[in-house]
C-alpha cells in the first residue's frame, strides 16, 4: 500500500484516534495540486519539458478535494442542525437573493445578447488571423501547460485544429507573475505589447497550488521579471503595482 493509499485509509478513522488536526492537515497538503516541470518522453516533444498541469492534474485535484472533505467531516462532523432553524434563520436572505437574482437578470440579459456575438466574432477573427500567419492574440496564448526546451525553444499548444505556436526565448522578453489578493493567478512571458504565453490556472483552490518549480525553471533563462499584485475593490476593478 503506497503512502497516498495509507493516508486515504487513515482518514476513514475518527481523527482523535490518529493525531492532532494540524499534523493531519500538513499530511494532506503534501498532495495538494501542483504545477510541475517534468521531462517529456513522447516522440513529438522529446527533449522538452512540460510546464504546468500534468495529464493527471484533474485526478489529483479530485483526490485532494475528497481528502480535504473527509478531513473536515472527521474533525467537525457530527453536529446536527435542525431543519426548522435553517428556514427561520435564512428565509429572509433567500427571499432577498431571489429578488436580486431577478433584478440582475433583467440587467444582464440585454448586455449578454450584445456581448456574446461580439465575443464570438472576436474569437473567430483571432483564429483567422493566426491561420493567416499573424502573431496569435492573447486569448490564444493563455494555456494551462506548455513545452519548453532547455535551449530556449518553446511550444505553446493553442488547441483545437490550430498548429502550436513556436518561438525562441530571447533576452528582450520579460516574465510577469500576477497575484490577486495574494493568490497566484498566472505567469506570462511578454515583450512590449506581445504576450508569448500566459500560463494560468482555473483551479478553484489556487491558494494551495504550488508553482515554484515552474517559475524557477523559467527564471533560469535570465529574463527580467515583474510581479503584479491586484486587489478587488467596490468598483469591480483592481489595483496593481
Amino acid at each position: 500500500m503506497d503512502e497516498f493509499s495509507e493516508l486515504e485509509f487513515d482518514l476513514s478513522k475518527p481523527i482523535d484516534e490518529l493525531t492532532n488536526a494540524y499534523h493531519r492537515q500538513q499530511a494532506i497538503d503534501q498532495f495538494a495540486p501542483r504545477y510541475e516541470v517534468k521531462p517529456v518522453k513522447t516522440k513529438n516533444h522529446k527533449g522538452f519539458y512540460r510546464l504546468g498541469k500534468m495529464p493527471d492534474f484533474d485526478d489529483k485535484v479530485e483526490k485532494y478535494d475528497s481528502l480535504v472533505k473527509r478531513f473536515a467531516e472527521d474533525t467537525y462532523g457530527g453536529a446536527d442542525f435542525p431543519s426548522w432553524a435553517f428556514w427561520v434563520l435564512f428565509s429572509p436572505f433567500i427571499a432577498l437573493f431571489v429578488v436580486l437574482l431577478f433584478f440582475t437578470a433583467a440587467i444582464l440579459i440585454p448586455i449578454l445578447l450584445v456581448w456574446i456575438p461580439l465575443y464570438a466574432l472576436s474569437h473567430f477573427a483571432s483564429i483567422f488571423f493566426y491561420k493567416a500567419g499573424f502573431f496569435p492574440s492573447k486569448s490564444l496564448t493563455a494555456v494551462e501547460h506548455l513545452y519548453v526546451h532547455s535551449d530556449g525553444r518553446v511550444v505553446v499548444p493553442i488547441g483545437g485544429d490550430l498548429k502550436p505556436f513556436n518561438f525562441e526565448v530571447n533576452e528582450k522578453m520579460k516574465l510577469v507573475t500576477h497575484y490577486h489578493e495574494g493568490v497566484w493567478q498566472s505567469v506570462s512571458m511578454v515583450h512590449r505589447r506581445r504576450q508569448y504565453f500566459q500560463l494560468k490556472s482555473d483551479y478553484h483552490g489556487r491558494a494551495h497550488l504550488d508553482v515554484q518549480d515552474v517559475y524557477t525553471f523559467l527564471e533560469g533563462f535570465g529574463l527580467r521579471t515583474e510581479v503584479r499584485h491586484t486587489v478587488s475593490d467596490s468598483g469591480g476593478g483592481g489595483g496593481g503595482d
Side-chain angles (χ1 to χ4, degrees), residues 165-178:
F165 172 53
N166 299 271
F167 69 92
E168 292 190 13
V169 178
N170 65 62
E171 67 279 359
K172 295 180 180 179
M173 297 175 182
K174 177 172 63 174
L175 283 178
V176 180
T177 309
H178 175 207

Side-chain angles (χ1 to χ4, degrees), residues 178-183 185 228-233 237-241:
H178 175 207
Y179 292 88
H180 183 70
E181 302 285 3
V183 178
Q185 302 291 311
R228 295 177 181 172
H229 293 274
T230 57
V231 295
S232 300
D233 58 30
D241 57 14

